[in-house]
Amino acid sequence: MLEQRQKQAKRTGLPELLNAEKGKVVLRFAPNPNGPLSFGHARGIIINGEYAKEYDGELILRFDDTDTSVKPPMLEAYDLIQKEAEWLLGFVPHRMVIASDRIEHYYQYVEQMLNGGFGYVCKCSAETFREYRVSMTECPCRAYSNLENLELWQGMLDGSFQPGEAVVRVRTDMALKNPALRDWPALRIQDTETNPHPRKDIGSRYRVWPLLDFQSAVEDHLQGVTHIIRGKDLMDSTRKQKLLYEHFGWTYPETMYWGRVKVHEWGGFSTSQMRKDIESGLFEGWSDPRLPTIASLSGSGIQATALRNFWIELGVTQKDIAVPLATLYSHNIKIIDDDAPRIAFIREPIALTLEGVNETIVELPTHPNTTGLGTRKIQLHDAVVYIEKADLQHKTLRLKEFGDFDIEGNTARFVAKERTDKRKIVHWTSKNSSVDASLVQVIDGEICRLDGKLESHQLAVNTPVQIERIGYGIISGDNEITFTHD
RNA sequence: GCUCGUGUGGUGUAGCCAGGUCCAUCAUUGCGGGUUUUCAUCCCGUCGACCCGGGUUCGAAUCCCGGCACGAGCACCA
């Protein structure tokens, strides 16, 4: 593979992984199951998943559910996330790990750390230690012997300490330039009697829980993770974990980071905040179309492939960026347009009686360019059609794929089959071939259900469609269609 | 404050490590036009950028130094 250096040629796809051998790459995506996946999570799962695919490697879906009080896990999220992950990836993650199932493993490494003297039990309060950290002072607890540490550790396990009274720290160096790395905390005590873990098997079984940096570091090693790709907010995590790896004599995986992404139209959302807002009734649920969740996006017609293309295009740069939704929409249109059946939805329908029409059925193409999608047959036995009120301002109209008509009051007099002039072309449907339905759309932060007449169809729920002269949408119920985007 | 990171058109992105072939790629958006029995799709055209200042060099978006701006971490959250 003597690839010539090509300048000015757009590199396509994701950049190459460093030190990656095809077939031996192990990546992971590790969400906190304190809610279902949101837009930002999609980046993590898609980028890691794409690399796993590209390198014939493995992707681990890991639930980092080690906090029971600040961001407590949500029981339903475990299943939801697995389904959403599969939807986003287009394949099932190769392995699944739940941190709360692995506490005993983490304990083994704590003991190893204490025995090795590179960790210690610290009885200082968080505030006291903060002062030590700022002033680069060694904490007195650093002086405990390995034996004392092991005893204190037992004390943490058996309930001799209350939450906040003792933590296990990784011994680094209080003189480290980066304050974040100084003797960082590895495990703490949680009151799991008051705040049990939501998983039945776990519940109140453990009092001592690892913190992210310890849990993640040990688990990455146990799973043989070779590459970690995550947000740059976790850069200091990498540095902390590298110090631990050095203590254990392990080799740290290759790392890559991406910057912060904001979507102009959404502003700031956090899983915890959404959870509160849903519980307080501000939103209808996790799939509320106003929320930036995967459930919301898929429910309103965004395709997984569009999301994949979108995130792959953004790549893994460390820049903090703000993207407009238009970019995602444009990807979505590319995915769906060729196969999206055209369908009529009449807003503020006005019934017109046809005059001078003999046929009882009109056949129009399901898709103007994709003839393979066949035709739609509109029944006209009652000779009544619906058009939008707004179109009534014109007294001469062309009903699309039907004919030219002159409008007088509530009658539409047939003029000609072919075009006779440049009169406006409008979409329409008939009384016989339509149903009462709603168009669900978010307007100015409100969910609007606009009643109207929807052309009868046999399309399955979740079929993306193009709503003539309105935009793209998705069949979201028997008599409901949800607007996706223009 | 300390630590770390990032600065390419309106928005993203390629190029930067290995300096010239870069009057800078591609996409998206805007604008203009074309096709079209949808205000869709598609096609064509067009506007538009290397944070600033020095330095090295025949030559700098690319290397060096210094500014500035923005962001993140410094949680017994993930």
Side-chain angles (χ1 to χ4, degrees), chain A residues 231-248:
Chain A
K232 70 173 185 181
D233 53 312
L234 293 178
M235 273 180 163
D236 281 344
S237 260
T238 298
R239 298 183 183 106
K240 288 188 219 175
Q241 293 173 4
K242 271 186 173 158
L243 294 170
L244 183 67
Y245 269 55
E246 281 169 23
H247 279 138
F248 277 118

Side-chain angles (χ1 to χ4, degrees), chain A residues 429-462:
Chain A
T429 190
S430 77
K431 187 177 178 184
N432 298 122
S433 289
S434 68
V435 293
D436 287 315
S438 313
L439 175 66
V440 181
Q441 191 172 184
V442 175
I443 299 170
D444 293 331
E446 298 284 327
I447 301 177
C448 302
R449 287 169 205 279
L450 181 66
D451 291 332
K453 298 289 182 185
L454 178 66
E455 178 186 325
S456 304
H457 65 84
Q458 290 83 42
L459 301 169
V461 167
N462 283 334

Side-chain angles (χ1 to χ4, degrees), chain A residues 224-324:
Chain A
V225 169
T226 59
H227 294 75
I228 299 173
I229 310 168
R230 58 184 168 193
K232 70 173 185 181
D233 53 312
L234 293 178
M235 273 180 163
D236 281 344
S237 260
T238 298
R239 298 183 183 106
K240 288 188 219 175
Q241 293 173 4
K242 271 186 173 158
L243 294 170
L244 183 67
Y245 269 55
E246 281 169 23
H247 279 138
F248 277 118
W250 301 337
T251 309
Y252 201 75
E254 289 288 337
T255 49
M256 262 189 184
Y257 308 93
W258 53 70
R260 253 186 123 69
V261 177
K262 269 188 193 159
V263 173
H264 183 254
E265 289 88 339
W266 287 333
F269 279 86
S270 74
T271 302
S272 325
Q273 188 58 46
M274 284 191 275
R275 190 168 173 176
K276 277 185 199 137
D277 291 343
I278 289 167
E279 279 162 10
S280 75
L282 210 56
F283 296 110
E284 293 178 359
W286 291 100
S287 57
D288 187 302
R290 292 165 295 184
L291 256 22
T293 58
I294 296 308
S296 159
L297 291 169
S298 73
S300 52
I302 300 294
Q303 305 298 300
T305 313
L307 246 6
R308 283 206 283 274
N309 293 347
F310 172 85
W311 286 116
I312 290 168
E313 185 174 79
L314 293 196
V316 283
T317 67
Q318 290 184 30
K319 265 203 281 186
D320 298 319
I321 55 173
V323 288

Side-chain angles (χ1 to χ4, degrees), chain A residues 80-199:
Chain A
L80 288 172
I81 288 174
Q82 288 180 68
K83 291 199 185 84
E84 291 170 344
E86 187 183 343
W87 180 76
L88 284 165
L89 291 164
F91 64 86
V92 182
H94 310 269
R95 271 185 250 170
M96 188 182 81
V97 174
I98 302 180
S100 57
D101 276 340
R102 319 252 314 148
I103 302 300
E104 320 273 353
H105 293 270
Y106 306 140
Y107 285 175
Q108 284 177 24
Y109 287 91
V110 177
E111 277 160 31
Q112 209 171 307
M113 180 165 78
L114 263 17
N115 267 320
F118 52 91
Y120 64 95
V121 175
C122 173
K123 294 197 286 182
C124 301
S125 68
E127 302 75 53
T128 306
F129 195 86
R130 189 175 308 134
E131 284 164 30
Y132 291 143
R133 177 168 47 234
V134 174
S135 60
M136 300 164 110
T137 311
E138 296 202 350
C139 162
C141 307
R142 254 183 168 246
Y144 296 134
S145 69
N146 292 356
L147 203 62
E148 284 171 311
N149 275 321
L150 254 8
E151 278 168 18
L152 288 165
W153 166 244
Q154 279 309 320
M156 286 177 72
L157 292 172
D158 68 24
S160 307
F161 295 103
Q162 292 307 302
E165 290 180 352
V167 297
V168 177
R169 293 188 180 282
V170 175
R171 189 188 298 266
T172 61
D173 188 337
M174 293 308 282
L176 249 23
K177 274 170 59 181
N178 188 340
L181 313 184
R182 299 172 193 157
D183 284 10
W184 54 271
L187 298 98
R188 77 335 197 158
I189 301 166
Q190 300 194 95
D191 181 356
T192 45
E193 293 300 330
T194 311
N195 289 312
H197 194 284
R199 294 180 68 219

